[in-house]
Amino acid sequence: MEKTWRWFGRNDIITLEMLRQIGVEGIVSALHGIPNGQVWQPEQIAEYKAFIESAGLRWSVVESLPVSESIKYGGPDRDQLIENYKISLKNLGQAGIHTVCYNFMPVIDWIRTDLHRRLPDGTCTLYFDKIRFAYFDCCILNRKGAEADYSEEELAKVHDLKKTITRKEIDELIDTIIVKTQGFINGNISGKELDPVAVFNGLLARYGGIDKNALRENMKFFLEQVTPVATEYGVNLCVHPDDPPCQVLGLPRIVTSAEDIEWILNAVDEHANGLTFCAGSLSSGAHNNVPAMAERFATRTHFVHLRSTDVLPGGDFVEASHLAGRAGLIDVVRIFLAEEKRRRAAGMFDSRIPMRVDHGPLMLDDLDKSGFNPGYSFLGRMKALAEMSGVMAAVEHCEK
Ligand code: DNO
């Protein structure tokens, strides 16, 4: 697999020169400055690509070319936005960038309630606390009917939390869920909103009539139009699973399980309509057997995120070490290395599958630094990359 790294552009405090030194081969990035929905112009792509190449690396994957909300809920301007998406895909393909990751999560991308959960070994990690999330839903957003989505036991715990939670904790929860996790990924929240809760509730309101089937239909509509363009220009599209893989805030989520993924791949049964195999997101759903899913969807996987989680009693989950947790990354790596072998034998152009380690603990000197995006510090990811490189080398050695 090609060792890639998510890099956030010239403002990233991790430089391309640092990445060369630790054995990174390819860069995963996006034109973060372009507002969602606008065309990525050939000159803008060429300039960014040249900058990456001047450091001796290549721009391997776009993560993400964002799918505008209006495409997801079927707004009046969706046709124009899909046209723009097609032009960006064509421009990327013509520039020689062949892997484009996106997601189809309405309103909110990945969700965590705590970005600095201290572990016994002194490192910090990302955490999802179901009760705090339910508190956010029922008592901060005050979403109508939210209570129906939680058990009586959970609601009783929310009630207890209400008595003890401080104003500071409430502000942090809002900042974490709406701003910090979303601001850096070209999501719907820029991070500059004066009243993030009001903005967020406005975004949620657009999905009033959209259930799972309606969202699936909108995704199919999108895929039917963009996949032929992707195929024509040699681009592999790869949808990122929902993180966490479950319904949230009354919104439908449709990339949560093997059944969902099967549906998407069948909706447009073309090689270019593929999957980002995010082992971390999938592992945070207790219903998912991650290595079995890797086996099942390997032929349509175009990009791999190596990360693992532990699901805890009560619905919480925590990011695990890359060699532990329920993702089974050693098996996952073995499965994708075998898939690469199959593709090489078949003479396929994409026989080297890009992989990146996803997230990593905040550790050592990085604990005192500011400026990292949540989950994307340097040393924790470097350690994870070393671990995963070791696993790849060992598997390849044993299969010789
Ligand atoms: C968070 C990421 C996601 C992912 C997008 C892909 O760390 O895994 O934001 O990049 O969902 O479109």
Side-chain angles (χ1 to χ4, degrees):
M1 281 189 267
E2 182 190 10
K3 292 177 202 168
T4 67
W5 182 279
R6 191 174 195 184
W7 179 72
F8 294 99
R10 291 175 170 93
N11 294 333
D12 196 325
I13 60 171
I14 302 167
T15 63
L16 294 173
E17 289 67 31
M18 287 160 77
L19 299 180
R20 275 300 300 279
Q21 290 195 25
I22 63 169
V24 168
E25 297 163 316
I27 292 301
V28 175
S29 199
L31 297 181
H32 290 288
I34 301 184
N36 279 7
Q38 280 186 21
V39 171
W40 290 16
Q41 300 296 349
E43 319 74 64
Q44 296 168 307
I45 297 169
E47 191 274 333
Y48 200 61
K49 184 170 176 270
F51 183 75
I52 293 171
E53 287 171 358
S54 69
L57 292 159
R58 61 186 288 264
W59 186 2
S60 307
V61 180
V62 168
E63 180 174 356
S64 304
L65 182 59
V67 176
S68 309
E69 283 302 287
S70 182
I71 297 178
K72 297 177 195 163
Y73 67 79
D77 51 349
R78 81 162 160 183
D79 290 343
Q80 183 56 53
L81 289 164
I82 292 178
E83 283 313 307
N84 290 356
Y85 205 94
K86 288 190 207 166
I87 302 171
S88 297
L89 282 180
K90 167 177 167 240
N91 292 344
L92 286 164
Q94 286 184 327
I97 296 162
H98 297 297
T99 312
V100 173
C101 169
Y102 69 98
N103 74 73
F104 219 79
M105 289 177 256
V107 180
I108 184 164
D109 191 311
W110 67 306
I111 307 173
R112 297 294 182 276
T113 55
D114 186 352
L115 305 176
H116 293 99
R117 175 64 63 114
R118 186 70 77 157
L119 296 179
D121 64 7
T123 60
C124 283
T125 195
L126 309 171
Y127 194 92
F128 178 85
D129 182 313
K130 176 97 188 269
I131 301 306
R132 285 194 176 244
F133 187 66
Y135 177 88
F136 169 78
D137 191 3
C138 303
C139 309
I140 295 178
L141 297 181
N142 290 308
R143 183 171 65 87
K144 214 169 143 218
E147 284 75 13
D149 290 353
Y150 303 96
S151 68
E152 271 184 31
E153 199 190 332
E154 287 167 344
L155 291 174
K157 287 185 183 159
V158 170
H159 191 71
D160 288 344
L161 179 62
K162 212 170 170 177
K163 290 187 214 145
T164 56
I165 194 165
T166 63
R167 184 68 239 175
K168 187 164 170 269
E169 286 177 300
I170 294 173
D171 289 341
E172 265 172 26
L173 197 57
I174 295 171
D175 197 40
T176 297
I177 298 176
I178 306 184
V179 182
K180 287 220 175 77
T181 45
Q182 308 300 306
F184 71 96
I185 48 169
N186 286 77
N188 298 307
I189 306 279
S190 71
K192 297 191 184 77
E193 283 79 6
L194 291 176
D195 186 348
V197 172
V199 172
F200 196 79
N201 273 330
L203 292 166
L204 284 181
R206 292 167 170 173
Y207 285 84
I210 310 284
D211 62 6
K212 177 177 167 177
N213 283 335
L215 190 64
R216 275 187 165 179
E217 282 318 305
N218 290 347
M219 185 170 186
K220 188 170 182 201
F221 183 83
F222 166 73
L223 287 172
E224 278 169 348
Q225 299 192 50
V226 298
T227 309
V229 178
T231 304
E232 183 179 347
Y233 293 95
V235 174
N236 280 332
L237 280 167
C238 38
V239 68
H240 188 286
D242 303 338
D243 181 4
C246 57
Q247 316 304 305
V248 291
L249 308 175
L251 296 165
R253 300 251 244 181
I254 55 170
V255 199
T256 65
S257 62
E259 189 238 320
D260 280 348
I261 294 169
E262 189 81 52
W263 187 91
I264 291 163
L265 301 182
N266 286 338
V268 175
D269 195 9
E270 295 288 334
H271 185 72
N273 172 30
L275 176 67
T276 295
F277 194 89
C278 179
S281 305
L282 295 170
S283 72
S284 63
H287 55 283
N288 287 327
N289 176 335
V290 181
M293 291 172 87
E295 198 82 69
R296 181 159 163 192
F297 300 117
T299 59
R300 294 280 284 276
T301 293
H302 301 315
F303 182 30
V304 178
H305 286 182
L306 295 175
R307 176 165 73 82
S308 189
T309 65
D310 277 315
V311 176
L312 306 172
D316 291 9
F317 67 87
V318 62
E319 310 247 346
S321 142
H322 287 67
L323 291 171
R326 57 184 312 283
L329 293 183
I330 298 178
D331 282 327
V332 169
V333 165
R334 186 181 45 73
I335 290 160
F336 287 116
L337 288 176
E339 168 62 11
E340 286 191 322
K341 206 167 164 189
R342 184 194 70 83
R343 292 187 192 184
R344 276 197 301 276
M348 292 170 73
F349 82 94
D350 52 0
S351 64
R352 214 157 169 237
I353 304 172
M355 72 81 179
R356 71 170 176 87
V357 291
D358 194 15
H359 305 169
L362 198 57
M363 63 195 294
L364 303 169
D365 285 1
D366 282 356
L367 283 163
D368 305 319
K369 283 189 189 146
S370 59
F372 294 121
N373 290 321
Y376 292 93
S377 59
F378 183 60
L379 296 170
R381 274 193 291 165
M382 181 173 94
K383 173 172 172 278
L385 177 61
E387 288 167 342
M388 291 298 107
S389 300
V391 170
M392 290 198 289
V395 171
E396 277 173 334
H397 179 79
C398 292
E399 310 234 310
K400 255 190 214 151

